mmCIF file of all heavy atoms in Angstrom:
data_model
loop_
_atom_site.group_PDB
_atom_site.id
_atom_site.type_symbol
_atom_site.label_atom_id
_atom_site.label_comp_id
_atom_site.label_asym_id
_atom_site.label_seq_id
_atom_site.Cartn_x
_atom_site.Cartn_y
_atom_site.Cartn_z
ATOM 1 N N ALA A 146 142.314 135.512 123.681
ATOM 2 C CA ALA A 146 141.008 134.721 123.715
ATOM 3 C C ALA A 146 140.532 134.451 122.291
ATOM 4 O O ALA A 146 140.041 133.323 122.015
ATOM 5 C CB ALA A 146 139.990 135.507 124.524
ATOM 6 N N ASP A 147 140.733 135.459 121.413
ATOM 7 C CA ASP A 147 140.381 135.253 120.082
ATOM 8 C C ASP A 147 141.175 134.120 119.379
ATOM 9 O O ASP A 147 140.577 133.344 118.653
ATOM 10 C CB ASP A 147 140.626 136.560 119.241
ATOM 11 C CG ASP A 147 139.505 137.100 118.606
ATOM 12 O OD1 ASP A 147 138.354 136.750 118.961
ATOM 13 O OD2 ASP A 147 139.652 137.956 117.686
ATOM 14 N N SER A 148 142.408 134.056 119.597
ATOM 15 C CA SER A 148 143.231 132.958 119.080
ATOM 16 C C SER A 148 142.742 131.590 119.545
ATOM 17 O O SER A 148 142.701 130.652 118.755
ATOM 18 C CB SER A 148 144.748 133.128 119.543
ATOM 19 O OG SER A 148 145.306 134.292 118.986
ATOM 20 N N ALA A 149 142.489 131.508 120.791
ATOM 21 C CA ALA A 149 141.945 130.263 121.417
ATOM 22 C C ALA A 149 140.553 129.946 120.782
ATOM 23 O O ALA A 149 140.268 128.755 120.427
ATOM 24 C CB ALA A 149 141.804 130.374 122.872
ATOM 25 N N MET A 150 139.744 130.997 120.493
ATOM 26 C CA MET A 150 138.368 130.728 119.933
ATOM 27 C C MET A 150 138.502 130.220 118.523
ATOM 28 O O MET A 150 137.765 129.333 118.151
ATOM 29 C CB MET A 150 137.648 132.059 119.965
ATOM 30 C CG MET A 150 136.186 131.963 119.436
ATOM 31 S SD MET A 150 136.055 132.392 117.653
ATOM 32 C CE MET A 150 136.709 134.075 117.690
ATOM 33 N N TYR A 151 139.453 130.795 117.737
ATOM 34 C CA TYR A 151 139.597 130.292 116.380
ATOM 35 C C TYR A 151 140.097 128.836 116.316
ATOM 36 O O TYR A 151 139.639 128.046 115.464
ATOM 37 C CB TYR A 151 140.556 131.209 115.544
ATOM 38 C CG TYR A 151 139.873 132.461 115.102
ATOM 39 C CD1 TYR A 151 140.297 133.662 115.564
ATOM 40 C CD2 TYR A 151 138.715 132.413 114.291
ATOM 41 C CE1 TYR A 151 139.604 134.789 115.227
ATOM 42 C CE2 TYR A 151 138.140 133.527 113.886
ATOM 43 C CZ TYR A 151 138.538 134.774 114.368
ATOM 44 O OH TYR A 151 137.862 135.964 114.005
ATOM 45 N N LEU A 152 140.872 128.441 117.383
ATOM 46 C CA LEU A 152 141.266 127.010 117.433
ATOM 47 C C LEU A 152 140.026 126.156 117.736
ATOM 48 O O LEU A 152 139.841 125.061 117.127
ATOM 49 C CB LEU A 152 142.322 126.870 118.503
ATOM 50 C CG LEU A 152 142.898 125.454 118.689
ATOM 51 C CD1 LEU A 152 143.480 124.897 117.387
ATOM 52 C CD2 LEU A 152 143.770 125.366 119.865
ATOM 53 N N ALA A 153 139.132 126.580 118.617
ATOM 54 C CA ALA A 153 137.948 125.901 118.926
ATOM 55 C C ALA A 153 137.093 125.715 117.688
ATOM 56 O O ALA A 153 136.470 124.662 117.419
ATOM 57 C CB ALA A 153 137.186 126.538 120.008
ATOM 58 N N LYS A 154 137.044 126.782 116.841
ATOM 59 C CA LYS A 154 136.255 126.694 115.631
ATOM 60 C C LYS A 154 136.857 125.711 114.643
ATOM 61 O O LYS A 154 136.172 124.844 114.061
ATOM 62 C CB LYS A 154 136.222 128.105 114.891
ATOM 63 C CG LYS A 154 135.087 128.978 115.466
ATOM 64 C CD LYS A 154 134.889 130.102 114.504
ATOM 65 C CE LYS A 154 133.756 130.950 114.946
ATOM 66 N NZ LYS A 154 132.474 130.296 114.965
ATOM 67 N N GLU A 155 138.279 125.735 114.490
ATOM 68 C CA GLU A 155 138.891 124.781 113.641
ATOM 69 C C GLU A 155 138.769 123.392 114.076
ATOM 70 O O GLU A 155 138.766 122.511 113.194
ATOM 71 C CB GLU A 155 140.435 125.146 113.567
ATOM 72 C CG GLU A 155 140.804 126.367 112.760
ATOM 73 C CD GLU A 155 142.264 126.671 112.930
ATOM 74 O OE1 GLU A 155 143.071 125.755 113.187
ATOM 75 O OE2 GLU A 155 142.667 127.838 112.617
ATOM 76 N N GLU A 156 138.685 123.109 115.255
ATOM 77 C CA GLU A 156 138.651 121.758 115.746
ATOM 78 C C GLU A 156 137.137 121.246 115.933
ATOM 79 O O GLU A 156 136.922 120.349 116.670
ATOM 80 C CB GLU A 156 139.365 121.644 117.136
ATOM 81 C CG GLU A 156 140.923 121.881 116.972
ATOM 82 C CD GLU A 156 141.632 121.751 118.237
ATOM 83 O OE1 GLU A 156 141.047 121.701 119.319
ATOM 84 O OE2 GLU A 156 142.886 121.746 118.113
ATOM 85 N N GLY A 157 136.205 121.929 115.295
ATOM 86 C CA GLY A 157 134.858 121.373 115.234
ATOM 87 C C GLY A 157 133.760 122.207 115.837
ATOM 88 O O GLY A 157 132.612 121.874 115.725
ATOM 89 N N LYS A 158 134.098 123.337 116.343
ATOM 90 C CA LYS A 158 133.075 124.315 116.911
ATOM 91 C C LYS A 158 132.334 123.691 118.092
ATOM 92 O O LYS A 158 132.566 122.562 118.599
ATOM 93 C CB LYS A 158 132.069 124.614 115.835
ATOM 94 C CG LYS A 158 132.648 125.237 114.616
ATOM 95 C CD LYS A 158 131.687 125.633 113.548
ATOM 96 C CE LYS A 158 132.494 126.180 112.381
ATOM 97 N NZ LYS A 158 131.737 126.265 111.212
ATOM 98 N N ASN A 159 131.459 124.551 118.704
ATOM 99 C CA ASN A 159 130.609 124.188 119.898
ATOM 100 C C ASN A 159 131.515 123.548 121.033
ATOM 101 O O ASN A 159 131.219 122.599 121.663
ATOM 102 C CB ASN A 159 129.508 123.159 119.500
ATOM 103 C CG ASN A 159 128.557 122.990 120.639
ATOM 104 O OD1 ASN A 159 128.234 123.925 121.471
ATOM 105 N ND2 ASN A 159 127.957 121.793 120.760
ATOM 106 N N ASP A 160 132.624 124.329 121.274
ATOM 107 C CA ASP A 160 133.524 123.895 122.354
ATOM 108 C C ASP A 160 134.306 125.069 122.840
ATOM 109 O O ASP A 160 134.109 126.241 122.358
ATOM 110 C CB ASP A 160 134.489 122.799 121.821
ATOM 111 C CG ASP A 160 134.991 121.964 122.958
ATOM 112 O OD1 ASP A 160 134.633 122.169 124.148
ATOM 113 O OD2 ASP A 160 135.698 120.914 122.600
ATOM 114 N N LEU A 161 135.196 124.840 123.699
ATOM 115 C CA LEU A 161 136.083 125.918 124.250
ATOM 116 C C LEU A 161 137.476 125.537 124.249
ATOM 117 O O LEU A 161 137.801 124.375 124.201
ATOM 118 C CB LEU A 161 135.548 126.283 125.712
ATOM 119 C CG LEU A 161 135.672 125.159 126.746
ATOM 120 C CD1 LEU A 161 136.989 125.214 127.505
ATOM 121 C CD2 LEU A 161 134.449 125.237 127.691
ATOM 122 N N ARG A 162 138.341 126.526 124.269
ATOM 123 C CA ARG A 162 139.756 126.318 124.353
ATOM 124 C C ARG A 162 140.340 127.500 125.220
ATOM 125 O O ARG A 162 139.955 128.623 125.066
ATOM 126 C CB ARG A 162 140.411 126.397 122.919
ATOM 127 C CG ARG A 162 140.143 125.264 122.043
ATOM 128 C CD ARG A 162 140.705 123.933 122.556
ATOM 129 N NE ARG A 162 140.389 122.818 121.671
ATOM 130 C CZ ARG A 162 139.323 122.098 121.810
ATOM 131 N NH1 ARG A 162 138.416 122.339 122.738
ATOM 132 N NH2 ARG A 162 139.020 121.085 120.943
ATOM 133 N N PHE A 163 141.271 127.121 126.024
ATOM 134 C CA PHE A 163 142.059 128.076 126.805
ATOM 135 C C PHE A 163 143.218 128.449 125.980
ATOM 136 O O PHE A 163 143.849 127.653 125.269
ATOM 137 C CB PHE A 163 142.513 127.438 128.110
ATOM 138 C CG PHE A 163 141.516 127.423 129.075
ATOM 139 C CD1 PHE A 163 140.607 126.344 129.240
ATOM 140 C CD2 PHE A 163 141.393 128.433 130.132
ATOM 141 C CE1 PHE A 163 139.654 126.277 130.229
ATOM 142 C CE2 PHE A 163 140.388 128.393 131.099
ATOM 143 C CZ PHE A 163 139.525 127.307 131.174
ATOM 144 N N PHE A 164 143.602 129.732 126.060
ATOM 145 C CA PHE A 164 144.887 130.209 125.381
ATOM 146 C C PHE A 164 146.077 129.519 125.932
ATOM 147 O O PHE A 164 146.104 129.230 127.211
ATOM 148 C CB PHE A 164 144.946 131.720 125.450
ATOM 149 C CG PHE A 164 146.190 132.290 124.915
ATOM 150 C CD1 PHE A 164 146.308 132.410 123.469
ATOM 151 C CD2 PHE A 164 147.317 132.542 125.622
ATOM 152 C CE1 PHE A 164 147.431 132.888 122.914
ATOM 153 C CE2 PHE A 164 148.503 132.989 125.065
ATOM 154 C CZ PHE A 164 148.531 133.172 123.670
ATOM 155 N N SER A 165 147.047 129.290 125.126
ATOM 156 C CA SER A 165 148.294 128.714 125.526
ATOM 157 C C SER A 165 149.418 129.293 124.645
ATOM 158 O O SER A 165 149.130 129.835 123.546
ATOM 159 C CB SER A 165 148.392 127.235 125.535
ATOM 160 O OG SER A 165 148.349 126.731 124.207
ATOM 161 N N ALA A 166 150.684 129.186 125.053
ATOM 162 C CA ALA A 166 151.778 129.574 124.227
ATOM 163 C C ALA A 166 151.814 128.769 122.906
ATOM 164 O O ALA A 166 152.182 129.302 121.840
ATOM 165 C CB ALA A 166 153.087 129.467 124.958
ATOM 166 N N ASP A 167 151.405 127.523 122.944
ATOM 167 C CA ASP A 167 151.282 126.699 121.814
ATOM 168 C C ASP A 167 150.439 127.201 120.728
ATOM 169 O O ASP A 167 150.661 127.144 119.493
ATOM 170 C CB ASP A 167 150.961 125.235 122.102
ATOM 171 C CG ASP A 167 151.950 124.531 122.893
ATOM 172 O OD1 ASP A 167 153.115 124.852 122.905
ATOM 173 O OD2 ASP A 167 151.615 123.463 123.483
ATOM 174 N N ILE A 168 149.320 127.806 121.199
ATOM 175 C CA ILE A 168 148.278 128.389 120.281
ATOM 176 C C ILE A 168 148.914 129.509 119.499
ATOM 177 O O ILE A 168 148.827 129.664 118.333
ATOM 178 C CB ILE A 168 147.071 128.830 120.930
ATOM 179 C CG1 ILE A 168 146.165 127.573 121.398
ATOM 180 C CG2 ILE A 168 146.168 129.650 120.085
ATOM 181 C CD1 ILE A 168 144.979 127.835 122.291
ATOM 182 N N LYS A 169 149.642 130.408 120.229
ATOM 183 C CA LYS A 169 150.305 131.520 119.690
ATOM 184 C C LYS A 169 151.352 131.108 118.655
ATOM 185 O O LYS A 169 151.471 131.630 117.485
ATOM 186 C CB LYS A 169 150.943 132.407 120.709
ATOM 187 C CG LYS A 169 151.501 133.667 120.241
ATOM 188 C CD LYS A 169 151.913 134.653 121.304
ATOM 189 C CE LYS A 169 152.338 135.957 120.797
ATOM 190 N NZ LYS A 169 152.500 136.916 121.817
ATOM 191 N N THR A 170 152.135 130.040 118.966
ATOM 192 C CA THR A 170 153.159 129.551 118.079
ATOM 193 C C THR A 170 152.537 128.949 116.777
ATOM 194 O O THR A 170 152.954 129.239 115.701
ATOM 195 C CB THR A 170 153.993 128.381 118.735
ATOM 196 O OG1 THR A 170 154.587 129.078 119.920
ATOM 197 C CG2 THR A 170 155.093 127.880 117.885
ATOM 198 N N GLN A 171 151.439 128.245 117.040
ATOM 199 C CA GLN A 171 150.786 127.657 115.848
ATOM 200 C C GLN A 171 150.176 128.724 114.897
ATOM 201 O O GLN A 171 150.218 128.595 113.678
ATOM 202 C CB GLN A 171 149.542 126.754 116.292
ATOM 203 C CG GLN A 171 149.986 125.422 116.950
ATOM 204 C CD GLN A 171 148.818 124.735 117.474
ATOM 205 O OE1 GLN A 171 147.663 125.165 117.578
ATOM 206 N NE2 GLN A 171 149.056 123.485 118.052
ATOM 207 N N SER A 172 149.699 129.783 115.540
ATOM 208 C CA SER A 172 149.091 130.909 114.770
ATOM 209 C C SER A 172 150.167 131.525 113.852
ATOM 210 O O SER A 172 149.949 131.828 112.710
ATOM 211 C CB SER A 172 148.407 131.928 115.717
ATOM 212 O OG SER A 172 147.878 132.922 115.010
ATOM 213 N N VAL A 173 151.295 131.787 114.444
ATOM 214 C CA VAL A 173 152.465 132.455 113.737
ATOM 215 C C VAL A 173 152.870 131.489 112.684
ATOM 216 O O VAL A 173 153.149 131.902 111.478
ATOM 217 C CB VAL A 173 153.639 132.832 114.723
ATOM 218 C CG1 VAL A 173 154.835 133.173 113.908
ATOM 219 C CG2 VAL A 173 153.099 133.931 115.615
ATOM 220 N N GLU A 174 153.030 130.257 112.944
ATOM 221 C CA GLU A 174 153.488 129.224 111.941
ATOM 222 C C GLU A 174 152.500 129.153 110.753
ATOM 223 O O GLU A 174 152.933 129.072 109.602
ATOM 224 C CB GLU A 174 153.688 127.913 112.524
ATOM 225 C CG GLU A 174 154.888 127.831 113.495
ATOM 226 C CD GLU A 174 155.040 126.475 114.243
ATOM 227 O OE1 GLU A 174 154.067 125.626 114.172
ATOM 228 O OE2 GLU A 174 156.062 126.253 114.910
ATOM 229 N N ARG A 175 151.268 129.205 111.124
ATOM 230 C CA ARG A 175 150.226 129.128 110.082
ATOM 231 C C ARG A 175 150.254 130.356 109.169
ATOM 232 O O ARG A 175 150.135 130.150 107.928
ATOM 233 C CB ARG A 175 148.834 128.943 110.716
ATOM 234 C CG ARG A 175 147.674 128.823 109.658
ATOM 235 C CD ARG A 175 146.344 128.796 110.384
ATOM 236 N NE ARG A 175 145.423 128.394 109.344
ATOM 237 C CZ ARG A 175 144.518 127.418 109.487
ATOM 238 N NH1 ARG A 175 144.633 126.614 110.489
ATOM 239 N NH2 ARG A 175 143.721 127.173 108.506
ATOM 240 N N LEU A 176 150.410 131.541 109.716
ATOM 241 C CA LEU A 176 150.555 132.706 108.886
ATOM 242 C C LEU A 176 151.731 132.678 108.035
ATOM 243 O O LEU A 176 151.663 133.061 106.881
ATOM 244 C CB LEU A 176 150.606 133.953 109.823
ATOM 245 C CG LEU A 176 149.281 134.425 110.511
ATOM 246 C CD1 LEU A 176 149.530 135.522 111.488
ATOM 247 C CD2 LEU A 176 148.290 134.842 109.464
ATOM 248 N N MET A 177 152.884 132.212 108.487
ATOM 249 C CA MET A 177 154.104 132.097 107.738
ATOM 250 C C MET A 177 153.938 131.101 106.591
ATOM 251 O O MET A 177 154.311 131.323 105.398
ATOM 252 C CB MET A 177 155.229 131.746 108.649
ATOM 253 C CG MET A 177 155.759 132.851 109.518
ATOM 254 S SD MET A 177 156.991 132.325 110.681
ATOM 255 C CE MET A 177 158.269 131.824 109.566
ATOM 256 N N LEU A 178 153.170 129.928 106.870
ATOM 257 C CA LEU A 178 152.975 129.016 105.869
ATOM 258 C C LEU A 178 152.065 129.518 104.791
ATOM 259 O O LEU A 178 152.267 129.291 103.594
ATOM 260 C CB LEU A 178 152.368 127.742 106.509
ATOM 261 C CG LEU A 178 152.057 126.593 105.454
ATOM 262 C CD1 LEU A 178 153.248 126.125 104.769
ATOM 263 C CD2 LEU A 178 151.340 125.448 106.243
ATOM 264 N N GLU A 179 150.989 130.198 105.181
ATOM 265 C CA GLU A 179 150.051 130.799 104.188
ATOM 266 C C GLU A 179 150.762 131.874 103.333
ATOM 267 O O GLU A 179 150.603 131.841 102.129
ATOM 268 C CB GLU A 179 148.924 131.522 104.858
ATOM 269 C CG GLU A 179 147.919 130.522 105.489
ATOM 270 C CD GLU A 179 146.773 131.269 106.311
ATOM 271 O OE1 GLU A 179 146.616 132.438 106.182
ATOM 272 O OE2 GLU A 179 146.121 130.482 107.005
ATOM 273 N N ALA A 180 151.662 132.702 103.906
ATOM 274 C CA ALA A 180 152.386 133.619 103.150
ATOM 275 C C ALA A 180 153.327 132.882 102.178
ATOM 276 O O ALA A 180 153.483 133.295 101.025
ATOM 277 C CB ALA A 180 153.148 134.554 104.020
ATOM 278 N N GLY A 181 153.968 131.888 102.716
ATOM 279 C CA GLY A 181 154.907 131.143 101.797
ATOM 280 C C GLY A 181 154.209 130.476 100.641
ATOM 281 O O GLY A 181 154.681 130.374 99.520
ATOM 282 N N LEU A 182 152.989 129.950 100.901
ATOM 283 C CA LEU A 182 152.240 129.274 99.807
ATOM 284 C C LEU A 182 151.811 130.278 98.850
ATOM 285 O O LEU A 182 151.805 130.025 97.579
ATOM 286 C CB LEU A 182 151.074 128.473 100.415
ATOM 287 C CG LEU A 182 151.432 127.137 100.999
ATOM 288 C CD1 LEU A 182 150.222 126.570 101.705
ATOM 289 C CD2 LEU A 182 151.945 126.177 99.896
ATOM 290 N N ARG A 183 151.319 131.449 99.242
ATOM 291 C CA ARG A 183 150.986 132.547 98.314
ATOM 292 C C ARG A 183 152.164 132.864 97.347
ATOM 293 O O ARG A 183 152.056 132.987 96.188
ATOM 294 C CB ARG A 183 150.498 133.791 99.029
ATOM 295 C CG ARG A 183 149.108 133.627 99.497
ATOM 296 C CD ARG A 183 148.437 134.973 99.982
ATOM 297 N NE ARG A 183 147.196 134.695 100.532
ATOM 298 C CZ ARG A 183 146.899 134.341 101.759
ATOM 299 N NH1 ARG A 183 147.920 134.238 102.613
ATOM 300 N NH2 ARG A 183 145.699 134.163 102.177
ATOM 301 N N HIS A 184 153.373 133.003 98.054
ATOM 302 C CA HIS A 184 154.596 133.287 97.245
ATOM 303 C C HIS A 184 154.869 132.184 96.297
ATOM 304 O O HIS A 184 155.229 132.426 95.108
ATOM 305 C CB HIS A 184 155.749 133.491 98.265
ATOM 306 C CG HIS A 184 156.999 133.811 97.651
ATOM 307 N ND1 HIS A 184 157.906 132.868 97.151
ATOM 308 C CD2 HIS A 184 157.564 135.035 97.254
ATOM 309 C CE1 HIS A 184 158.948 133.438 96.644
ATOM 310 N NE2 HIS A 184 158.763 134.764 96.688
ATOM 311 N N ALA A 185 154.706 130.937 96.746
ATOM 312 C CA ALA A 185 155.004 129.724 95.888
ATOM 313 C C ALA A 185 154.037 129.750 94.578
ATOM 314 O O ALA A 185 154.533 129.509 93.544
ATOM 315 C CB ALA A 185 154.761 128.483 96.738
ATOM 316 N N LEU A 186 152.853 130.102 94.875
ATOM 317 C CA LEU A 186 151.869 130.176 93.761
ATOM 318 C C LEU A 186 152.263 131.199 92.709
ATOM 319 O O LEU A 186 152.288 131.040 91.530
ATOM 320 C CB LEU A 186 150.460 130.438 94.252
ATOM 321 C CG LEU A 186 149.664 129.256 94.768
ATOM 322 C CD1 LEU A 186 148.400 129.750 95.480
ATOM 323 C CD2 LEU A 186 149.256 128.252 93.684
ATOM 324 N N GLU A 187 152.637 132.361 93.262
ATOM 325 C CA GLU A 187 152.981 133.503 92.364
ATOM 326 C C GLU A 187 154.304 133.309 91.627
ATOM 327 O O GLU A 187 154.506 133.847 90.518
ATOM 328 C CB GLU A 187 153.090 134.799 93.320
ATOM 329 C CG GLU A 187 151.797 135.308 93.856
ATOM 330 C CD GLU A 187 151.977 136.373 94.939
ATOM 331 O OE1 GLU A 187 153.193 136.771 95.227
ATOM 332 O OE2 GLU A 187 151.024 136.755 95.471
ATOM 333 N N HIS A 188 155.174 132.428 92.151
ATOM 334 C CA HIS A 188 156.441 132.231 91.536
ATOM 335 C C HIS A 188 156.672 130.878 90.996
ATOM 336 O O HIS A 188 157.855 130.488 90.743
ATOM 337 C CB HIS A 188 157.581 132.543 92.613
ATOM 338 C CG HIS A 188 157.630 133.992 92.944
ATOM 339 N ND1 HIS A 188 156.923 134.483 94.057
ATOM 340 C CD2 HIS A 188 158.293 135.029 92.366
ATOM 341 C CE1 HIS A 188 157.172 135.760 94.114
ATOM 342 N NE2 HIS A 188 157.933 136.140 93.176
ATOM 343 N N GLY A 189 155.580 130.124 90.761
ATOM 344 C CA GLY A 189 155.661 128.775 90.117
ATOM 345 C C GLY A 189 156.473 127.772 90.830
ATOM 346 O O GLY A 189 157.144 127.014 90.172
ATOM 347 N N GLU A 190 156.448 127.770 92.192
ATOM 348 C CA GLU A 190 157.241 126.850 92.935
ATOM 349 C C GLU A 190 156.477 125.571 93.251
ATOM 350 O O GLU A 190 157.047 124.612 93.893
ATOM 351 C CB GLU A 190 157.675 127.440 94.244
ATOM 352 C CG GLU A 190 158.653 128.651 94.051
ATOM 353 C CD GLU A 190 158.905 129.396 95.380
ATOM 354 O OE1 GLU A 190 158.335 128.944 96.434
ATOM 355 O OE2 GLU A 190 159.577 130.407 95.350
ATOM 356 N N LEU A 191 155.191 125.428 92.799
ATOM 357 C CA LEU A 191 154.371 124.216 93.038
ATOM 358 C C LEU A 191 154.425 123.369 91.727
ATOM 359 O O LEU A 191 154.245 123.944 90.645
ATOM 360 C CB LEU A 191 152.997 124.584 93.440
ATOM 361 C CG LEU A 191 152.834 125.356 94.730
ATOM 362 C CD1 LEU A 191 151.409 125.666 94.934
ATOM 363 C CD2 LEU A 191 153.455 124.707 95.914
ATOM 364 N N ALA A 192 154.650 122.087 91.883
ATOM 365 C CA ALA A 192 154.643 121.212 90.760
ATOM 366 C C ALA A 192 153.719 120.007 90.929
ATOM 367 O O ALA A 192 153.640 119.446 92.004
ATOM 368 C CB ALA A 192 156.091 120.692 90.488
#
């Protein structure tokens, strides 16, 4: 429910979202992307 709620917030607030497997996949992908970008910043991979 928390994962679905954060999606409702990201998409403009004052709304509702039902949990789905897609939300879970998006959440994992986002965490991986954030970790990758932090690594890229630390290792000079951004130009």
Side-chain angles (χ1 to χ4, degrees):
D147 237 20
S148 295
M150 182 266 301
Y151 283 115
L152 181 62
K154 277 195 176 297
E155 284 177 21
E156 293 182 350
K158 303 179 181 165
N159 193 32
D160 206 356
L161 61 96
R162 292 291 178 272
F163 281 85
F164 178 78
S165 70
D167 290 344
I168 290 174
K169 189 172 186 172
T170 301
Q171 288 172 355
S172 181
V173 169
E174 287 173 354
R175 183 184 189 123
L176 285 172
M177 290 174 59
L178 178 62
E179 286 177 13
L182 283 171
R183 281 192 186 86
H184 181 270
L186 280 169
E187 292 168 2
H188 293 92
E190 296 173 1
L191 300 178

